[in-house]
Amino acid sequence: MRAVFRLLPYLLRLWRAAGRVDLFHVMANSGWSWHLYAAPAICIARLRGTAVVVNYRGGEAEPFLRGSAAVVALTLHRAQALIVPSGYLAAVFGARGYQALVVPNIIDLARFRGAPVPSRTAVNRLHLLVARNLEAIYDNAGALRAFALVLAVRPEARLTIAGSGPLRAELEALAAGLGVAHAVRFSGRVEHAQMAALYRQAGVLLNPSLVDNMPNCLLEALASGVPIVSTNVGGVSFMVEAERTALLVPPADPRALADAVLRLAAEPALAERLIQNGLDQVQQYCWPSVKPVLSQVYRDALAAPVGTLAAKS
């Protein structure tokens, strides 16, 4: 209801903005976010003769495209370019005949940086950090169950869950039921500036999600010198490489998550190898690397006719 109430002022602002600029960069997601916000922006830009770059970032692209193929095709036909942050999403759109260009997420390497080597080696490898919202698709419950298995072996372990969402009370009850509440901290939403310090205090980033695209928490962990244990879903394997920059496990498998964490604790040389490889890899996500790619997308979009993205089938 709130979205509908705000729609008319939003459309008016879009109409005015489209008359003042040469190009719209439209941030798009699945479901109602697409229909209420992205689609109107694309259509209004087309009516005003403004070029459009659609930047799709939703992790549930495949079911969304499958269920809304006709609407998406009608909308994207009005855009000049489609960009996505990962090879995973490029493959999803490519399977439906759309050419999507990969423009990766950007990480601020001045803010997210590895701790100095002496302090990093002293970090408790069993301080686990989960940096996802408290929603079902991120399986924080699975992280708690994995942590209970870790704690049974290593009682000094602790877990910080940095995120907000509708499942907090349910997850706090689960932590109590598992007998791990004393070692778990629900920090709530953490401001971006404070997240960097939180990463430097962590020994492992745990990413238990069931659905994912290009989670920023992986980039932040790589830049912060924190080894990663993640489920191998969606675009994760396009960002990190198993055994080289992260340990990857199947989704919805707390035992596999726990075993990977315990392996890192038992093999410090493995953890250091993941850290060093991650620090090297994350350089490609800094602004100097991404800027020329995005600039070329804008130039091409301004020169391209509409209809470039019409699906082949």
Side-chain angles (χ1 to χ4, degrees):
M1 290 294 291
R2 284 195 299 268
V4 172
F5 181 76
R6 283 180 273 188
L7 187 58
L8 286 178
Y10 172 64
L11 295 177
L12 180 60
R13 289 195 297 271
L14 284 175
W15 183 267
R16 290 172 175 168
R20 297 194 302 265
V21 302
D22 298 314
L23 182 143
F24 264 15
H25 183 130
V26 179
M27 308 298 289
N29 208 318
S30 305
W32 284 109
S33 175
W34 177 278
H35 301 307
L36 290 178
Y37 299 111
I42 296 166
C43 292
I44 285 176
R46 175 70 180 94
L47 289 172
R48 298 297 304 260
T50 304
V52 178
V53 172
V54 177
N55 188 347
Y56 183 91
R57 313 184 69 77
E60 298 180 292
E62 198 283 326
F64 174 62
L65 291 175
R66 184 173 63 249
S68 303
V71 174
V72 172
L74 183 64
T75 309
L76 281 181
H77 182 74
R78 293 169 166 80
Q80 279 81 5
L82 169 66
I83 62 176
V84 293
S86 69
Y88 163 69
L89 282 178
V92 169
F93 276 96
R96 294 196 167 267
Y98 299 105
Q99 181 184 12
L101 305 173
V102 176
V103 178
N105 288 345
I106 300 165
I107 184 71
D108 183 354
L109 297 182
R111 172 172 292 167
F112 294 94
R113 60 189 186 278
V117 172
S119 61
R120 191 176 71 208
T121 55
V123 164
N124 178 6
R125 293 289 185 199
L126 289 167
H127 177 194
L128 313 184
L129 172 64
V130 176
R132 306 309 299 262
N133 285 334
L134 310 185
E135 301 172 15
I137 62 171
Y138 299 126
D139 197 19
N140 289 280
L144 286 169
R145 293 187 176 95
F147 179 66
L149 296 172
V150 171
L151 197 64
V153 179
R154 300 292 294 266
E156 74 274 24
R158 55 200 173 105
L159 170 65
T160 298
I161 299 180
S164 60
L167 299 184
R168 176 159 180 166
E170 179 180 320
L171 292 167
E172 288 176 335
L174 176 60
L178 291 169
V180 301
H182 65 284
V184 176
R185 181 169 72 98
F186 289 87
S187 67
R189 183 177 181 273
V190 178
E191 294 298 327
H192 196 63
Q194 281 71 55
M195 276 303 301
L198 192 54
Y199 278 105
R200 286 193 288 273
Q201 298 165 12
V204 178
L205 176 79
L206 199 60
N207 181 47
S209 59
L210 304 175
V211 176
D212 235 325
N213 170 26
M214 188 180 185
N216 271 343
C217 64
L218 296 192
L219 294 183
E220 292 165 355
L222 291 173
S224 301
V226 179
I228 295 167
V229 173
S230 176
T231 49
N232 190 3
V233 296
V236 168
S237 63
F238 288 79
M239 298 178 65
V240 292
E241 182 181 343
E243 302 292 324
R244 182 177 176 275
T245 54
L247 297 184
L248 301 182
V249 302
D253 189 342
R255 168 55 69 183
L257 283 171
D259 287 347
V261 170
L262 291 170
R263 181 184 171 198
L264 282 175
E267 302 179 34
L270 169 63
E272 283 301 315
R273 186 172 76 246
L274 297 182
I275 288 171
Q276 291 303 323
N277 290 338
L279 290 171
D280 291 339
Q281 180 178 324
V282 80
Q283 299 299 318
Q284 65 184 288
Y285 298 103
C286 63
W287 177 238
S289 298
V290 176
K291 178 183 177 181
V293 178
L294 185 58
S295 296
Q296 188 60 53
V297 168
Y298 286 165
R299 286 192 291 268
D300 292 345
L302 289 168
V306 296
T308 306
L309 295 174
K312 300 171 185 173
S313 59

